[in-house]
PDB file of all heavy atoms in Angstrom:
ATOM      1  N   VAL A 161      -2.046  -2.320 -12.866  1.00 99.00           N
ATOM      2  CA  VAL A 161      -3.374  -2.908 -12.689  1.00 99.00           C
ATOM      3  C   VAL A 161      -3.630  -3.739 -13.919  1.00 99.00           C
ATOM      4  O   VAL A 161      -4.092  -4.836 -13.817  1.00 99.00           O
ATOM      5  CB  VAL A 161      -4.455  -1.813 -12.531  1.00 99.00           C
ATOM      6  CG1 VAL A 161      -5.815  -2.339 -12.762  1.00 99.00           C
ATOM      7  CG2 VAL A 161      -4.301  -1.291 -11.111  1.00 99.00           C
ATOM      8  N   TYR A 162      -3.236  -3.242 -15.077  1.00 98.00           N
ATOM      9  CA  TYR A 162      -3.536  -3.928 -16.403  1.00 98.00           C
ATOM     10  C   TYR A 162      -2.590  -5.172 -16.394  1.00 98.00           C
ATOM     11  O   TYR A 162      -3.056  -6.219 -16.720  1.00 98.00           O
ATOM     12  CB  TYR A 162      -3.230  -3.020 -17.572  1.00 98.00           C
ATOM     13  CG  TYR A 162      -3.511  -3.621 -18.901  1.00 98.00           C
ATOM     14  CD1 TYR A 162      -4.803  -3.744 -19.347  1.00 98.00           C
ATOM     15  CD2 TYR A 162      -2.462  -4.076 -19.656  1.00 98.00           C
ATOM     16  CE1 TYR A 162      -5.063  -4.354 -20.493  1.00 98.00           C
ATOM     17  CE2 TYR A 162      -2.706  -4.720 -20.900  1.00 98.00           C
ATOM     18  CZ  TYR A 162      -3.966  -4.847 -21.339  1.00 98.00           C
ATOM     19  OH  TYR A 162      -4.248  -5.414 -22.553  1.00 98.00           O
ATOM     20  N   ASP A 163      -1.302  -4.992 -16.097  1.00 98.00           N
ATOM     21  CA  ASP A 163      -0.347  -6.053 -16.337  1.00 98.00           C
ATOM     22  C   ASP A 163      -0.554  -7.205 -15.370  1.00 98.00           C
ATOM     23  O   ASP A 163      -0.401  -8.434 -15.608  1.00 98.00           O
ATOM     24  CB  ASP A 163       1.104  -5.530 -16.145  1.00 98.00           C
ATOM     25  CG  ASP A 163       1.565  -4.751 -17.326  1.00 98.00           C
ATOM     26  OD1 ASP A 163       0.869  -4.699 -18.372  1.00 98.00           O
ATOM     27  OD2 ASP A 163       2.662  -4.153 -17.278  1.00 98.00           O
ATOM     28  N   LEU A 164      -0.947  -6.800 -14.079  1.00 98.00           N
ATOM     29  CA  LEU A 164      -1.076  -7.887 -13.000  1.00 98.00           C
ATOM     30  C   LEU A 164      -2.505  -8.314 -12.830  1.00 98.00           C
ATOM     31  O   LEU A 164      -2.832  -8.950 -11.825  1.00 98.00           O
ATOM     32  CB  LEU A 164      -0.436  -7.331 -11.743  1.00 98.00           C
ATOM     33  CG  LEU A 164       1.080  -7.119 -11.752  1.00 98.00           C
ATOM     34  CD1 LEU A 164       1.651  -6.746 -10.438  1.00 98.00           C
ATOM     35  CD2 LEU A 164       1.812  -8.400 -12.218  1.00 98.00           C
ATOM     36  N   ASN A 165      -3.453  -7.862 -13.666  1.00 98.00           N
ATOM     37  CA  ASN A 165      -4.828  -8.216 -13.630  1.00 98.00           C
ATOM     38  C   ASN A 165      -5.484  -7.962 -12.240  1.00 98.00           C
ATOM     39  O   ASN A 165      -6.326  -8.760 -11.758  1.00 98.00           O
ATOM     40  CB  ASN A 165      -4.960  -9.760 -13.976  1.00 98.00           C
ATOM     41  CG  ASN A 165      -4.230 -10.143 -15.182  1.00 98.00           C
ATOM     42  OD1 ASN A 165      -3.099 -10.644 -15.129  1.00 98.00           O
ATOM     43  ND2 ASN A 165      -4.844  -9.848 -16.362  1.00 98.00           N
ATOM     44  N   PHE A 166      -5.140  -6.804 -11.703  1.00 98.00           N
ATOM     45  CA  PHE A 166      -5.915  -6.413 -10.502  1.00 98.00           C
ATOM     46  C   PHE A 166      -7.328  -6.168 -10.821  1.00 98.00           C
ATOM     47  O   PHE A 166      -7.496  -5.446 -11.874  1.00 98.00           O
ATOM     48  CB  PHE A 166      -5.299  -5.150  -9.901  1.00 98.00           C
ATOM     49  CG  PHE A 166      -4.056  -5.392  -9.026  1.00 98.00           C
ATOM     50  CD1 PHE A 166      -2.808  -5.218  -9.463  1.00 98.00           C
ATOM     51  CD2 PHE A 166      -4.253  -5.781  -7.710  1.00 98.00           C
ATOM     52  CE1 PHE A 166      -1.677  -5.433  -8.721  1.00 98.00           C
ATOM     53  CE2 PHE A 166      -3.164  -5.976  -6.889  1.00 98.00           C
ATOM     54  CZ  PHE A 166      -1.866  -5.849  -7.408  1.00 98.00           C
ATOM     55  N   ASN A 167      -8.259  -6.623 -10.082  1.00 98.00           N
ATOM     56  CA  ASN A 167      -9.670  -6.409 -10.366  1.00 98.00           C
ATOM     57  C   ASN A 167     -10.208  -5.171  -9.689  1.00 98.00           C
ATOM     58  O   ASN A 167     -10.914  -5.132  -8.720  1.00 98.00           O
ATOM     59  CB  ASN A 167     -10.384  -7.661  -9.834  1.00 98.00           C
ATOM     60  CG  ASN A 167     -11.883  -7.659 -10.345  1.00 98.00           C
ATOM     61  OD1 ASN A 167     -12.182  -6.959 -11.260  1.00 98.00           O
ATOM     62  ND2 ASN A 167     -12.720  -8.456  -9.677  1.00 98.00           N
ATOM     63  N   ILE A 168      -9.692  -3.951 -10.219  1.00 98.00           N
ATOM     64  CA  ILE A 168     -10.084  -2.755  -9.601  1.00 98.00           C
ATOM     65  C   ILE A 168     -10.086  -1.672 -10.697  1.00 98.00           C
ATOM     66  O   ILE A 168      -9.292  -1.732 -11.708  1.00 98.00           O
ATOM     67  CB  ILE A 168      -8.981  -2.403  -8.510  1.00 98.00           C
ATOM     68  CG1 ILE A 168      -9.450  -1.179  -7.707  1.00 98.00           C
ATOM     69  CG2 ILE A 168      -7.582  -2.126  -9.086  1.00 98.00           C
ATOM     70  CD1 ILE A 168      -8.645  -1.036  -6.388  1.00 98.00           C
ATOM     71  N   GLU A 169     -10.990  -0.729 -10.497  1.00 98.00           N
ATOM     72  CA  GLU A 169     -11.015   0.418 -11.448  1.00 98.00           C
ATOM     73  C   GLU A 169     -10.215   1.599 -10.915  1.00 98.00           C
ATOM     74  O   GLU A 169     -10.441   1.969  -9.748  1.00 98.00           O
ATOM     75  CB  GLU A 169     -12.507   0.823 -11.714  1.00 98.00           C
ATOM     76  CG  GLU A 169     -12.662   1.969 -12.663  1.00 98.00           C
ATOM     77  CD  GLU A 169     -14.098   2.533 -12.696  1.00 98.00           C
ATOM     78  OE1 GLU A 169     -14.998   1.898 -12.124  1.00 98.00           O
ATOM     79  OE2 GLU A 169     -14.298   3.646 -13.143  1.00 98.00           O
ATOM     80  N   ILE A 170      -9.384   2.127 -11.703  1.00 98.00           N
ATOM     81  CA  ILE A 170      -8.563   3.358 -11.297  1.00 98.00           C
ATOM     82  C   ILE A 170      -9.327   4.603 -11.774  1.00 98.00           C
ATOM     83  O   ILE A 170      -9.540   4.734 -12.947  1.00 98.00           O
ATOM     84  CB  ILE A 170      -7.174   3.301 -11.940  1.00 98.00           C
ATOM     85  CG1 ILE A 170      -6.490   2.038 -11.456  1.00 98.00           C
ATOM     86  CG2 ILE A 170      -6.379   4.575 -11.522  1.00 98.00           C
ATOM     87  CD1 ILE A 170      -6.255   1.809  -9.975  1.00 98.00           C
ATOM     88  N   VAL A 171      -9.589   5.474 -10.857  1.00 98.00           N
ATOM     89  CA  VAL A 171     -10.425   6.694 -11.193  1.00 98.00           C
ATOM     90  C   VAL A 171      -9.436   7.850 -11.022  1.00 98.00           C
ATOM     91  O   VAL A 171      -9.090   8.276  -9.903  1.00 98.00           O
ATOM     92  CB  VAL A 171     -11.608   6.829 -10.261  1.00 98.00           C
ATOM     93  CG1 VAL A 171     -12.465   8.018 -10.722  1.00 98.00           C
ATOM     94  CG2 VAL A 171     -12.477   5.558 -10.223  1.00 98.00           C
ATOM     95  N   PRO A 172      -9.095   8.514 -12.167  1.00 98.00           N
ATOM     96  CA  PRO A 172      -8.189   9.692 -12.098  1.00 98.00           C
ATOM     97  C   PRO A 172      -9.067  10.927 -11.729  1.00 98.00           C
ATOM     98  O   PRO A 172     -10.219  11.044 -12.156  1.00 98.00           O
ATOM     99  CB  PRO A 172      -7.683   9.866 -13.514  1.00 98.00           C
ATOM    100  CG  PRO A 172      -8.278   8.778 -14.342  1.00 98.00           C
ATOM    101  CD  PRO A 172      -9.411   8.140 -13.571  1.00 98.00           C
ATOM    102  N   CYS A 173      -8.503  11.724 -10.898  1.00 98.00           N
ATOM    103  CA  CYS A 173      -9.212  13.018 -10.509  1.00 98.00           C
ATOM    104  C   CYS A 173      -8.329  14.221 -10.835  1.00 98.00           C
ATOM    105  O   CYS A 173      -7.140  14.193 -10.664  1.00 98.00           O
ATOM    106  CB  CYS A 173      -9.512  12.918  -8.962  1.00 98.00           C
ATOM    107  SG  CYS A 173     -10.580  11.418  -8.526  1.00 98.00           S
ATOM    108  N   PRO A 174      -9.008  15.316 -11.169  1.00 98.00           N
ATOM    109  CA  PRO A 174      -8.271  16.535 -11.585  1.00 98.00           C
ATOM    110  C   PRO A 174      -7.422  17.161 -10.517  1.00 98.00           C
ATOM    111  O   PRO A 174      -7.720  16.986  -9.272  1.00 98.00           O
ATOM    112  CB  PRO A 174      -9.413  17.538 -12.036  1.00 98.00           C
ATOM    113  CG  PRO A 174     -10.664  16.914 -11.601  1.00 98.00           C
ATOM    114  CD  PRO A 174     -10.447  15.482 -11.242  1.00 98.00           C
ATOM    115  N   ILE A 175      -6.472  17.905 -10.920  1.00 98.00           N
ATOM    116  CA  ILE A 175      -5.545  18.618  -9.957  1.00 98.00           C
ATOM    117  C   ILE A 175      -6.420  19.721  -9.225  1.00 98.00           C
ATOM    118  O   ILE A 175      -7.165  20.395  -9.904  1.00 98.00           O
ATOM    119  CB  ILE A 175      -4.375  19.246 -10.676  1.00 98.00           C
ATOM    120  CG1 ILE A 175      -3.546  18.258 -11.359  1.00 98.00           C
ATOM    121  CG2 ILE A 175      -3.571  20.188  -9.765  1.00 98.00           C
ATOM    122  CD1 ILE A 175      -2.322  18.845 -12.243  1.00 98.00           C
ATOM    123  N   VAL A 176      -6.233  19.818  -7.961  1.00 98.00           N
ATOM    124  CA  VAL A 176      -6.895  20.957  -7.214  1.00 98.00           C
ATOM    125  C   VAL A 176      -5.794  21.985  -6.904  1.00 98.00           C
ATOM    126  O   VAL A 176      -4.672  21.624  -6.465  1.00 98.00           O
ATOM    127  CB  VAL A 176      -7.476  20.407  -5.889  1.00 98.00           C
ATOM    128  CG1 VAL A 176      -8.071  21.585  -5.090  1.00 98.00           C
ATOM    129  CG2 VAL A 176      -8.587  19.394  -6.204  1.00 98.00           C
ATOM    130  N   ARG A 177      -6.091  23.188  -7.300  1.00 98.00           N
ATOM    131  CA  ARG A 177      -5.099  24.256  -7.152  1.00 98.00           C
ATOM    132  C   ARG A 177      -5.595  25.340  -6.090  1.00 98.00           C
ATOM    133  O   ARG A 177      -6.814  25.480  -5.917  1.00 98.00           O
ATOM    134  CB  ARG A 177      -4.912  25.001  -8.495  1.00 98.00           C
ATOM    135  CG  ARG A 177      -4.303  24.088  -9.534  1.00 98.00           C
ATOM    136  CD  ARG A 177      -4.111  24.744 -10.903  1.00 98.00           C
ATOM    137  NE  ARG A 177      -3.558  23.853 -11.819  1.00 98.00           N
ATOM    138  CZ  ARG A 177      -2.260  23.535 -11.862  1.00 98.00           C
ATOM    139  NH1 ARG A 177      -1.371  24.119 -11.067  1.00 98.00           N
ATOM    140  NH2 ARG A 177      -1.789  22.560 -12.743  1.00 98.00           N
ATOM    141  N   GLU A 178      -4.577  26.031  -5.527  1.00 97.00           N
ATOM    142  CA  GLU A 178      -4.905  27.188  -4.753  1.00 97.00           C
ATOM    143  C   GLU A 178      -5.363  28.284  -5.702  1.00 97.00           C
ATOM    144  O   GLU A 178      -5.153  28.223  -6.886  1.00 97.00           O
ATOM    145  CB  GLU A 178      -3.752  27.626  -3.930  1.00 97.00           C
ATOM    146  CG  GLU A 178      -3.336  26.531  -2.893  1.00 97.00           C
ATOM    147  CD  GLU A 178      -2.192  27.045  -1.985  1.00 97.00           C
ATOM    148  OE1 GLU A 178      -1.723  28.152  -2.081  1.00 97.00           O
ATOM    149  OE2 GLU A 178      -1.808  26.162  -1.117  1.00 97.00           O
ATOM    150  N   GLU A 179      -6.056  29.332  -5.138  1.00 97.00           N
ATOM    151  CA  GLU A 179      -6.543  30.368  -5.986  1.00 97.00           C
ATOM    152  C   GLU A 179      -5.400  31.004  -6.810  1.00 97.00           C
ATOM    153  O   GLU A 179      -5.570  31.391  -7.996  1.00 97.00           O
ATOM    154  CB  GLU A 179      -7.179  31.494  -5.166  1.00 97.00           C
ATOM    155  CG  GLU A 179      -8.495  31.920  -5.721  1.00 97.00           C
ATOM    156  CD  GLU A 179      -9.244  32.784  -4.691  1.00 97.00           C
ATOM    157  OE1 GLU A 179      -9.865  32.264  -3.801  1.00 97.00           O
ATOM    158  OE2 GLU A 179      -9.035  34.029  -4.788  1.00 97.00           O
TER     159      GLU A 179
END
Side-chain angles (χ1 to χ4, degrees):
V161 164
Y162 183 77
D163 286 351
L164 295 184
N165 312 99
F166 277 99
N167 191 14
I168 191 165
E169 181 191 344
I170 301 303
V171 184
C173 301
I175 298 178
V176 176
R177 296 182 181 278
E178 294 185 3
E179 225 169 277

